[in-house]
């Protein structure tokens, strides 16, 4: 992302201060108040997209709907979902009709490998800033003087809010020892980092130094992590380690609270779970594909956008008293299911199969990546610090084989680095079957 100009920074920072009280109290308001906010934003988005974007106008006309047909959240199912490929094609031919205004651009690639350029209007970034504050303050550790270090793909447009909440940026692709040097010298109170990068850092830090770094809260993002892994990290650094679920397209979607619930940020993104390959709701508690509507991006509208992730929604109250709905399950990308001749294994089944091995204490593995190369081959990459017993890999293969069809070849590998994307992200479950 580019930096704000001075005038842009003043406008965005002032707007963030003005809007902050509303965003701070909204998670604890009544369901009716939250729904009214969502319906108001969606009405504006639909009108804006219909009148300014040829892509949405034509798509809605083809489906026989128009903005006036939306009267409540239930009516959103009348409008078709959109895919990443559709929006990329619309951008390439100019059918998305970006307004002529100052924008901040971010880039997303994901599992498809195709890059989508997401434009954010400067005047709308204040909501993202307040949303980020809420994520970092899930445990109440974030103070105006707290320093945050982002180990991430790109820097945010501003480093502080009028000098408050200062932050610093280090690229995920930066040399690992240099990143540790920055942590030691900057002494951040809050650390935002990929789970795989944190695991790598733990491998070069002694158990005694972990707590002495002074980190009070760690926010994990961009990659799948699991609860036992986060507990190990929390014990190592002697601080809370919570996960967040966000995307370049939809913004802040959900984050984990101190009770382990993934709360949807209902005033940032309206989330639905729909039946796979259909536009209708999958129902509360039923697993389906996550579809989101970014409530703040009028520059590159994402309305009923298929995220290609699988999950379920839980509306039961949480002990933390936040009233936003929860993601009951977030089980991985739809495209990362393993497909064989007569069987499909979901990402959640595959993750659970590996976690079961790791949690029984018999395998000294700290990280892994499982990759389906073709219809007959699965590779299991693992990281184990220090010496391992000679029969570890044969025992791993024997244990994993019980989870797969008999004719599948399972290759066990211990590479120097687990397979990652070009931006340094890692997915523990990767299917190369199209």
């Amino acid at each position: 992302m580019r930096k704000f100009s001075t005038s842009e920074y003043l406008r965005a920072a002032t707007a963030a201060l003005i809007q902050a009280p509303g965003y701070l109290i909204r998670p604890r308001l009544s369901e009716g108040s939250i729904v009214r906010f969502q319906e108001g934003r969606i009405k504006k988005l639909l009108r804006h997209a219909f009148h300014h974007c040829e892509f949405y106008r034509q798509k809605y006309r083809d489906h026989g709907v128009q903005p006036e047909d939306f009267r409540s959240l239930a009516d959103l199912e009348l409008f078709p979902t959109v895919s990443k490929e559709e929006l990329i094609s619309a951008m390439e031919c100019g059918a998305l009709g970006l307004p002529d205004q100052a924008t901040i651009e971010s880039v997303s690639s994901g599992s498809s490998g195709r890059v989508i350029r997401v434009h954010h209007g400067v005047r709308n970034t204040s909501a993202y800033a307040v949303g980020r504050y809420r994520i970092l303050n899930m445990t109440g550790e974030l103070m105006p003087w707290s320093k945050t270090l982002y180990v991430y793909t790109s820097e945010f447009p501003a480093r502080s809010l009028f000098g408050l909440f200062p932050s610093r940026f280090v690229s995920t692709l930066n040399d690992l020892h240099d990143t540790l040097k920055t942590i030691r010298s900057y002494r951040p109170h809050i650390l935002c980092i990929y789970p795989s990068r944190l695991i790598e850092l733990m491998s070069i830090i002694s158990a005694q130094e972990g707590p002495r770094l002074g980190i009070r809260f760690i926010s994990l993002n961009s990659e799948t992590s699991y609860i036992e892994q986060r507990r190990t990290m929390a014990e190592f650094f002697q601080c809370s380690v919570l996960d967040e679920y966000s995307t370049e397209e939809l913004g802040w979607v959900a984050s984990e609270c101190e009770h382990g619930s993934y709360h949807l940020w209902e005033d940032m993104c309206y989330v639905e779970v729909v039946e796979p390959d259909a536009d209708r709701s999958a129902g509360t508690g039923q697993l389906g594909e996550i579809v989101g509507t970014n409530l703040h991006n009028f520059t590159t509208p994402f309305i009923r956008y298929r995220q290609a992730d699988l999950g379920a929604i839980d509306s039961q109250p949480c002990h933390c008293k936040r009233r936003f709905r929860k993601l009951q399950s977030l089980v991985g990308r739809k495209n990362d299911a393993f497909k064989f001749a007569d069987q499909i294994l979901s990402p959640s089944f595959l993750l659970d199969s590996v976690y079961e091995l790791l949690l029984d204490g018999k395998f000294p593995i700290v990280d892994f990546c499982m990759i389906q190369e073709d219809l007959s081959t699965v590779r299991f990459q693992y990281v184990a610090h220090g010496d391992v017993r000679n029969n570890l890999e044969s025992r791993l293969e024997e244990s994993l084989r019980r989870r797969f069809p008999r004719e599948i070849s399972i290759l066990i590998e211990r590479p120097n680095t687990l397979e990652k994307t070009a931006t340094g992200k890692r997915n523990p479950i990767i299917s190369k079957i199209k």
Side-chain angles (χ1 to χ4, degrees):
M1 293 185 183
R2 71 170 176 84
K3 289 287 193 181
F4 283 136
S5 68
T6 301
S7 60
E8 289 172 342
Y9 172 79
L10 290 173
R11 290 200 304 272
T14 301
L17 287 175
I18 294 172
Q19 296 171 6
Y23 282 94
L24 296 181
I25 66 171
R26 197 170 290 122
R28 304 183 189 278
L29 295 180
S30 68
E31 180 183 356
S33 298
I34 296 166
V35 168
R36 285 193 293 273
F37 178 87
Q38 293 170 326
E39 290 175 343
R41 300 294 296 187
I42 293 173
K43 284 179 183 178
K44 291 176 62 176
L45 270 169
L46 288 171
R47 287 197 299 267
H48 174 85
F50 188 83
H51 293 295
H52 291 92
C53 305
E54 180 184 344
F55 165 76
Y56 280 105
R57 181 164 56 250
Q58 189 60 50
K59 192 171 183 68
Y60 291 165
R61 284 174 174 171
D62 290 344
H63 282 75
V65 292
Q66 54 187 351
E68 290 72 22
D69 294 324
F70 178 84
R71 299 178 181 84
S72 68
L73 292 180
D75 296 327
L76 198 55
E77 283 193 18
L78 301 173
F79 296 80
T81 58
V82 301
S83 69
K84 180 176 185 176
E85 296 299 319
E86 284 182 296
L87 290 181
I88 290 176
S89 298
M91 290 179 183
E92 290 173 346
C93 66
L96 207 55
L98 298 177
D100 184 18
Q101 59 171 289
T103 64
I104 299 291
E105 181 186 87
S106 62
V107 176
S108 173
S109 58
S111 60
S112 71
R114 293 195 67 189
V115 170
I116 183 169
R117 299 188 178 277
V118 183
H119 294 263
H120 309 271
V122 169
R123 65 171 177 261
N124 295 322
T125 57
S126 55
Y128 297 135
V130 179
R132 165 55 69 183
Y133 169 83
R134 293 189 306 193
I135 291 174
L136 299 185
N137 198 41
M138 291 298 279
T139 60
E141 294 287 348
L142 185 62
M143 299 296 173
W145 54 86
S146 298
K147 295 182 293 184
T148 300
L149 180 66
Y150 294 95
V151 183
Y152 197 51
T153 53
S154 62
E155 191 169 6
F156 290 125
R159 292 190 176 184
S160 71
L161 179 65
F162 295 120
L164 305 177
F165 309 107
S167 67
R168 186 175 293 184
F169 163 76
V170 173
S171 171
T172 299
L173 305 180
N174 190 40
D175 176 78
L176 184 62
H177 287 84
D178 188 58
T179 297
L180 178 56
K181 182 180 179 181
T182 300
I183 293 174
R184 286 168 172 164
S185 61
Y186 186 56
R187 303 285 296 180
H189 303 96
I190 313 291
L191 178 64
C192 302
I193 193 169
Y194 292 177
S196 62
R197 198 57 170 167
L198 188 61
I199 290 172
E200 292 170 348
L201 280 170
M202 290 167 63
S203 71
I204 63 172
I205 301 174
S206 69
Q208 292 74 30
E209 185 182 9
R212 291 203 298 264
L213 291 174
I215 300 171
R216 298 176 184 173
F217 175 68
I218 297 176
S219 176
L220 302 180
N221 58 75
S222 300
E223 299 172 346
T224 302
S225 64
Y226 53 98
I227 188 167
E228 289 298 332
Q229 190 179 50
R230 296 194 292 277
R231 286 174 180 168
T232 299
M233 295 168 174
E235 183 178 349
F236 188 92
F237 292 99
Q238 291 295 296
C239 70
S240 298
V241 179
L242 300 178
D243 190 27
E244 71 168 76
Y245 174 43
S246 58
T247 72
E248 297 294 342
E249 298 96 322
L250 298 179
W252 315 128
V253 181
S255 54
E256 187 182 13
C257 76
E258 62 272 26
H259 297 283
S261 299
Y262 279 82
H263 290 273
L264 293 167
W265 293 115
E266 301 271 37
D267 54 356
M268 302 297 299
C269 174
Y270 177 66
V271 172
E272 308 167 74
V273 170
V274 303
E275 295 178 8
D277 304 317
D279 287 353
R280 59 182 177 271
S281 173
T284 300
Q286 185 177 347
L287 188 67
E289 185 176 355
I290 292 175
V291 170
T293 298
N294 187 322
L295 300 178
H296 296 275
N297 195 340
F298 287 75
T299 307
T300 309
F302 291 91
I303 305 173
R304 300 207 81 199
Y305 176 73
R306 286 187 172 271
Q307 187 58 35
D309 287 335
L310 298 175
I313 289 180
D314 178 10
S315 58
Q316 294 300 312
C318 178
H319 293 297
C320 72
K321 306 300 183 182
R322 294 178 178 90
R323 293 177 177 264
F324 287 168
R325 295 174 301 162
K326 300 176 293 182
L327 271 180
Q328 184 180 35
S329 305
L330 183 59
V331 299
R333 301 191 69 81
K334 181 181 70 172
N335 294 336
D336 286 330
F338 282 11
K339 307 168 186 67
F340 302 104
D342 58 355
Q343 187 177 10
I344 296 178
L345 301 180
S346 72
S348 59
F349 172 84
L350 296 167
L351 284 172
D352 287 346
S353 297
V354 179
Y355 297 160
E356 184 180 50
L357 300 181
L358 303 187
L359 294 177
D360 67 8
K362 296 178 181 178
F363 298 95
I365 294 173
V366 297
D367 206 2
F368 68 91
C369 183
M370 189 153 49
I371 306 151
Q372 183 180 16
E373 292 289 344
D374 51 45
L375 292 175
S376 61
T377 308
V378 170
R379 286 192 294 126
F380 182 83
Q381 299 181 338
Y382 73 95
V383 174
H385 299 304
D387 295 331
V388 296
R389 287 174 288 180
N390 293 332
N391 64 344
L392 171 66
E393 295 190 355
S394 61
R395 291 189 297 115
L396 266 175
E397 181 182 355
E398 180 183 355
S399 297
L400 288 171
R401 183 165 297 284
R402 295 197 294 267
R403 276 77 176 173
F404 295 99
R406 181 174 300 177
E407 66 275 10
I408 301 302
S409 297
I410 299 176
L411 308 178
I412 308 296
E413 302 173 348
R414 190 185 180 188
N416 292 328
T417 305
L418 298 179
E419 190 156 325
K420 294 185 179 183
T421 67
T423 57
K425 292 184 181 180
R426 185 187 64 76
N427 187 348
I429 304 296
I430 298 173
S431 174
K432 296 185 178 180
I433 305 297
K434 300 301 181 183

